[in-house]
Amino acid sequence: MTSSDRFDDEDELPGARYSRRYESDAQQLDRNWSSLLQELRVVQTGVQLLTGFLLTLPFQSGFAALSNNEKGVYLVTVLASIAATILLVAPVSMHRLLFRRRQLDRLVLTAHRFALAGLLLLGVSLTGVVVLVVGLVVNSTVATIAGICTAVLFVAIWLVYPWRFRRRATRFPEPEQSEQHRNE
């Protein structure tokens, strides 16, 4: 496996025939890094705001009235949110520490993994927030149902749906482009 095989676009699996961008390994890494940074910008602000909000809750007067079960849900939620924040911001500190060290391949691969783990933890945190809010507004039974629905929606939209397209791409690869089309 060459270094470029490891960093092809995610939907380009080794051995499959796909139309491929004609760029050097360095250009591809730069493009992948830029794309990843744009994706992280979308979620970083939201997860940071969520974490900040969750960190203030214990200092509210009504927090003491939560049941032990609700406090447990809160702790899981806030810890997942903090971990998501750490993972989604980590690529920035990695980039600063590895700047001009010719480690872009490691940076892109590691940041990709951190982003996936951070998104998973963000899903856990969002589910926990739904359980807490619905539990306080309605009751614990409805909160459990809302939490299950949120988790199912999270898994369906953030995981299953994209994997469906990824799997389809391996079964029905795009045809090769003509030489003339590639050079346009």
Side-chain angles (χ1 to χ4, degrees):
M1 177 184 281
T2 67
S3 64
S4 65
D5 289 336
R6 291 183 298 165
F7 303 105
D8 283 346
D9 287 341
E10 294 167 340
D11 58 344
E12 294 184 19
L13 300 176
R17 290 179 35 199
Y18 293 94
S19 59
R20 180 184 154 96
R21 296 174 191 235
Y22 290 88
E23 55 192 5
S24 69
D25 288 349
Q27 290 169 325
Q28 186 178 32
L29 285 169
D30 285 339
R31 180 175 50 80
N32 289 346
W33 176 245
S34 293
S35 176
L36 182 61
L37 284 180
Q38 290 292 23
E39 294 165 4
L40 291 173
R41 283 184 186 112
V42 170
V43 297
Q44 279 178 343
T45 304
V47 75
Q48 289 169 345
L49 287 171
L50 176 64
T51 301
F53 167 73
L54 288 168
L55 289 172
T56 65
L57 288 181
F59 302 103
Q60 304 302 314
S61 59
F63 189 80
L66 294 179
S67 70
N68 286 337
N69 199 21
E70 290 169 326
K71 287 179 182 175
V73 170
Y74 168 78
L75 282 175
V76 169
T77 301
V78 75
L79 292 174
S81 186
I82 290 169
T85 302
I86 291 168
L87 288 166
L88 294 170
V89 175
V92 175
S93 68
M94 285 183 60
H95 183 260
R96 281 295 95 207
L97 291 171
L98 297 176
F99 187 67
R100 294 190 176 178
R101 301 280 187 224
R102 300 188 188 278
Q103 298 289 315
L104 189 57
D105 55 346
R106 276 199 188 135
L107 178 64
V108 170
L109 183 63
T110 304
H112 165 73
R113 290 175 178 161
F114 283 174
L116 289 175
L119 288 171
L120 178 68
L121 288 167
L122 177 58
V124 169
S125 187
L126 290 172
T127 301
V129 166
V130 168
V131 170
L132 285 173
V133 170
V134 173
L136 290 173
V137 173
V138 185
N139 63 43
S140 62
T141 303
V142 177
T144 301
I145 294 167
I148 291 169
C149 290
T150 302
V152 167
L153 189 62
F154 160 66
V155 169
I157 301 298
W158 285 11
L159 299 173
V160 174
Y161 191 68
W163 275 338
R164 182 175 154 233
F165 285 107
R166 187 176 174 126
R167 207 176 82 234
R168 181 181 290 167
T170 60
R171 290 187 314 199
F172 306 108
E174 295 177 21
E176 288 286 331
Q177 292 178 343
S178 68
E179 185 67 33
Q180 179 184 6
H181 184 75
R182 282 190 298 238
N183 293 328
E184 292 177 353

PDB file of all heavy atoms in Angstrom, residues 97-110:
ATOM      1  N   LEU A  97       1.619  21.780  16.816  1.00  0.00           N
ATOM      2  CA  LEU A  97       2.812  21.064  17.286  1.00  0.00           C
ATOM      3  C   LEU A  97       3.575  20.396  16.152  1.00  0.00           C
ATOM      4  O   LEU A  97       4.792  20.219  16.237  1.00  0.00           O
ATOM      5  CB  LEU A  97       2.427  20.031  18.345  1.00  0.00           C
ATOM      6  CG  LEU A  97       1.956  20.627  19.674  1.00  0.00           C
ATOM      7  CD1 LEU A  97       1.382  19.542  20.566  1.00  0.00           C
ATOM      8  CD2 LEU A  97       3.098  21.361  20.368  1.00  0.00           C
ATOM      9  N   LEU A  98       2.868  20.013  15.102  1.00  0.00           N
ATOM     10  CA  LEU A  98       3.513  19.322  13.979  1.00  0.00           C
ATOM     11  C   LEU A  98       3.800  20.245  12.797  1.00  0.00           C
ATOM     12  O   LEU A  98       4.293  19.794  11.775  1.00  0.00           O
ATOM     13  CB  LEU A  98       2.636  18.158  13.507  1.00  0.00           C
ATOM     14  CG  LEU A  98       2.411  17.050  14.527  1.00  0.00           C
ATOM     15  CD1 LEU A  98       1.444  16.009  13.988  1.00  0.00           C
ATOM     16  CD2 LEU A  98       3.730  16.406  14.928  1.00  0.00           C
ATOM     17  N   PHE A  99       3.502  21.530  12.937  1.00  0.00           N
ATOM     18  CA  PHE A  99       3.678  22.494  11.850  1.00  0.00           C
ATOM     19  C   PHE A  99       5.105  22.446  11.318  1.00  0.00           C
ATOM     20  O   PHE A  99       6.070  22.482  12.088  1.00  0.00           O
ATOM     21  CB  PHE A  99       3.319  23.893  12.359  1.00  0.00           C
ATOM     22  CG  PHE A  99       3.303  24.936  11.296  1.00  0.00           C
ATOM     23  CD1 PHE A  99       2.345  24.897  10.291  1.00  0.00           C
ATOM     24  CD2 PHE A  99       4.235  25.947  11.286  1.00  0.00           C
ATOM     25  CE1 PHE A  99       2.309  25.859   9.305  1.00  0.00           C
ATOM     26  CE2 PHE A  99       4.215  26.923  10.309  1.00  0.00           C
ATOM     27  CZ  PHE A  99       3.247  26.878   9.307  1.00  0.00           C
ATOM     28  N   ARG A 100       5.219  22.309  10.014  1.00  0.00           N
ATOM     29  CA  ARG A 100       6.503  22.260   9.292  1.00  0.00           C
ATOM     30  C   ARG A 100       7.399  21.105   9.722  1.00  0.00           C
ATOM     31  O   ARG A 100       8.615  21.191   9.676  1.00  0.00           O
ATOM     32  CB  ARG A 100       7.243  23.586   9.425  1.00  0.00           C
ATOM     33  CG  ARG A 100       6.502  24.704   8.731  1.00  0.00           C
ATOM     34  CD  ARG A 100       7.327  25.939   8.659  1.00  0.00           C
ATOM     35  NE  ARG A 100       6.586  26.932   7.900  1.00  0.00           N
ATOM     36  CZ  ARG A 100       7.007  28.138   7.674  1.00  0.00           C
ATOM     37  NH1 ARG A 100       8.169  28.527   8.145  1.00  0.00           N
ATOM     38  NH2 ARG A 100       6.288  28.974   6.985  1.00  0.00           N
ATOM     39  N   ARG A 101       6.790  20.027  10.155  1.00  0.00           N
ATOM     40  CA  ARG A 101       7.553  18.831  10.539  1.00  0.00           C
ATOM     41  C   ARG A 101       7.336  17.698   9.538  1.00  0.00           C
ATOM     42  O   ARG A 101       7.686  16.566   9.817  1.00  0.00           O
ATOM     43  CB  ARG A 101       7.138  18.358  11.938  1.00  0.00           C
ATOM     44  CG  ARG A 101       7.342  19.368  13.021  1.00  0.00           C
ATOM     45  CD  ARG A 101       8.782  19.399  13.455  1.00  0.00           C
ATOM     46  NE  ARG A 101       8.917  20.267  14.612  1.00  0.00           N
ATOM     47  CZ  ARG A 101       9.892  21.140  14.749  1.00  0.00           C
ATOM     48  NH1 ARG A 101      10.805  21.256  13.842  1.00  0.00           N
ATOM     49  NH2 ARG A 101       9.944  21.903  15.811  1.00  0.00           N
ATOM     50  N   ARG A 102       6.690  18.008   8.433  1.00  0.00           N
ATOM     51  CA  ARG A 102       6.406  17.033   7.370  1.00  0.00           C
ATOM     52  C   ARG A 102       5.628  15.825   7.912  1.00  0.00           C
ATOM     53  O   ARG A 102       5.951  14.678   7.635  1.00  0.00           O
ATOM     54  CB  ARG A 102       7.687  16.592   6.679  1.00  0.00           C
ATOM     55  CG  ARG A 102       8.424  17.751   6.040  1.00  0.00           C
ATOM     56  CD  ARG A 102       9.589  17.284   5.198  1.00  0.00           C
ATOM     57  NE  ARG A 102      10.387  18.394   4.751  1.00  0.00           N
ATOM     58  CZ  ARG A 102      10.112  19.168   3.700  1.00  0.00           C
ATOM     59  NH1 ARG A 102       9.032  18.949   3.013  1.00  0.00           N
ATOM     60  NH2 ARG A 102      10.909  20.143   3.362  1.00  0.00           N
ATOM     61  N   GLN A 103       4.613  16.124   8.709  1.00  0.00           N
ATOM     62  CA  GLN A 103       3.785  15.082   9.323  1.00  0.00           C
ATOM     63  C   GLN A 103       2.326  15.188   8.894  1.00  0.00           C
ATOM     64  O   GLN A 103       1.445  14.694   9.598  1.00  0.00           O
ATOM     65  CB  GLN A 103       3.872  15.182  10.850  1.00  0.00           C
ATOM     66  CG  GLN A 103       5.251  14.981  11.415  1.00  0.00           C
ATOM     67  CD  GLN A 103       5.696  13.549  11.291  1.00  0.00           C
ATOM     68  OE1 GLN A 103       4.949  12.627  11.578  1.00  0.00           O
ATOM     69  NE2 GLN A 103       6.916  13.353  10.835  1.00  0.00           N
ATOM     70  N   LEU A 104       2.065  15.827   7.748  1.00  0.00           N
ATOM     71  CA  LEU A 104       0.687  16.051   7.332  1.00  0.00           C
ATOM     72  C   LEU A 104      -0.064  14.740   7.144  1.00  0.00           C
ATOM     73  O   LEU A 104      -1.245  14.647   7.469  1.00  0.00           O
ATOM     74  CB  LEU A 104       0.629  16.892   6.048  1.00  0.00           C
ATOM     75  CG  LEU A 104      -0.750  17.371   5.633  1.00  0.00           C
ATOM     76  CD1 LEU A 104      -1.415  18.190   6.731  1.00  0.00           C
ATOM     77  CD2 LEU A 104      -0.672  18.167   4.338  1.00  0.00           C
ATOM     78  N   ASP A 105       0.602  13.698   6.678  1.00  0.00           N
ATOM     79  CA  ASP A 105      -0.082  12.414   6.506  1.00  0.00           C
ATOM     80  C   ASP A 105      -0.583  11.880   7.843  1.00  0.00           C
ATOM     81  O   ASP A 105      -1.725  11.447   7.966  1.00  0.00           O
ATOM     82  CB  ASP A 105       0.821  11.390   5.813  1.00  0.00           C
ATOM     83  CG  ASP A 105       2.160  11.166   6.497  1.00  0.00           C
ATOM     84  OD1 ASP A 105       2.543  11.973   7.375  1.00  0.00           O
ATOM     85  OD2 ASP A 105       2.836  10.191   6.134  1.00  0.00           O
ATOM     86  N   ARG A 106       0.247  11.934   8.878  1.00  0.00           N
ATOM     87  CA  ARG A 106      -0.183  11.505  10.217  1.00  0.00           C
ATOM     88  C   ARG A 106      -1.270  12.412  10.769  1.00  0.00           C
ATOM     89  O   ARG A 106      -2.209  11.964  11.401  1.00  0.00           O
ATOM     90  CB  ARG A 106       0.992  11.515  11.183  1.00  0.00           C
ATOM     91  CG  ARG A 106       1.782  10.276  11.122  1.00  0.00           C
ATOM     92  CD  ARG A 106       2.625  10.123  12.359  1.00  0.00           C
ATOM     93  NE  ARG A 106       3.486   8.995  12.095  1.00  0.00           N
ATOM     94  CZ  ARG A 106       4.764   8.960  12.350  1.00  0.00           C
ATOM     95  NH1 ARG A 106       5.347   9.965  12.936  1.00  0.00           N
ATOM     96  NH2 ARG A 106       5.468   7.899  12.060  1.00  0.00           N
ATOM     97  N   LEU A 107      -1.109  13.703  10.537  1.00  0.00           N
ATOM     98  CA  LEU A 107      -2.078  14.672  11.030  1.00  0.00           C
ATOM     99  C   LEU A 107      -3.457  14.422  10.435  1.00  0.00           C
ATOM    100  O   LEU A 107      -4.453  14.377  11.159  1.00  0.00           O
ATOM    101  CB  LEU A 107      -1.614  16.093  10.701  1.00  0.00           C
ATOM    102  CG  LEU A 107      -2.538  17.223  11.109  1.00  0.00           C
ATOM    103  CD1 LEU A 107      -2.692  17.276  12.621  1.00  0.00           C
ATOM    104  CD2 LEU A 107      -2.004  18.546  10.582  1.00  0.00           C
ATOM    105  N   VAL A 108      -3.531  14.214   9.127  1.00  0.00           N
ATOM    106  CA  VAL A 108      -4.816  13.987   8.461  1.00  0.00           C
ATOM    107  C   VAL A 108      -5.455  12.693   8.960  1.00  0.00           C
ATOM    108  O   VAL A 108      -6.641  12.668   9.302  1.00  0.00           O
ATOM    109  CB  VAL A 108      -4.653  13.972   6.922  1.00  0.00           C
ATOM    110  CG1 VAL A 108      -5.929  13.494   6.240  1.00  0.00           C
ATOM    111  CG2 VAL A 108      -4.273  15.358   6.415  1.00  0.00           C
ATOM    112  N   LEU A 109      -4.687  11.632   9.051  1.00  0.00           N
ATOM    113  CA  LEU A 109      -5.222  10.351   9.498  1.00  0.00           C
ATOM    114  C   LEU A 109      -5.705  10.416  10.955  1.00  0.00           C
ATOM    115  O   LEU A 109      -6.807   9.967  11.270  1.00  0.00           O
ATOM    116  CB  LEU A 109      -4.169   9.252   9.335  1.00  0.00           C
ATOM    117  CG  LEU A 109      -4.607   7.840   9.697  1.00  0.00           C
ATOM    118  CD1 LEU A 109      -5.739   7.378   8.784  1.00  0.00           C
ATOM    119  CD2 LEU A 109      -3.432   6.879   9.604  1.00  0.00           C
ATOM    120  N   THR A 110      -4.896  10.992  11.824  1.00  0.00           N
ATOM    121  CA  THR A 110      -5.266  11.082  13.235  1.00  0.00           C
ATOM    122  C   THR A 110      -6.439  12.024  13.443  1.00  0.00           C
ATOM    123  O   THR A 110      -7.367  11.723  14.207  1.00  0.00           O
ATOM    124  CB  THR A 110      -4.055  11.535  14.075  1.00  0.00           C
ATOM    125  OG1 THR A 110      -2.976  10.621  13.837  1.00  0.00           O
ATOM    126  CG2 THR A 110      -4.377  11.559  15.548  1.00  0.00           C
TER     127      THR A 110
END
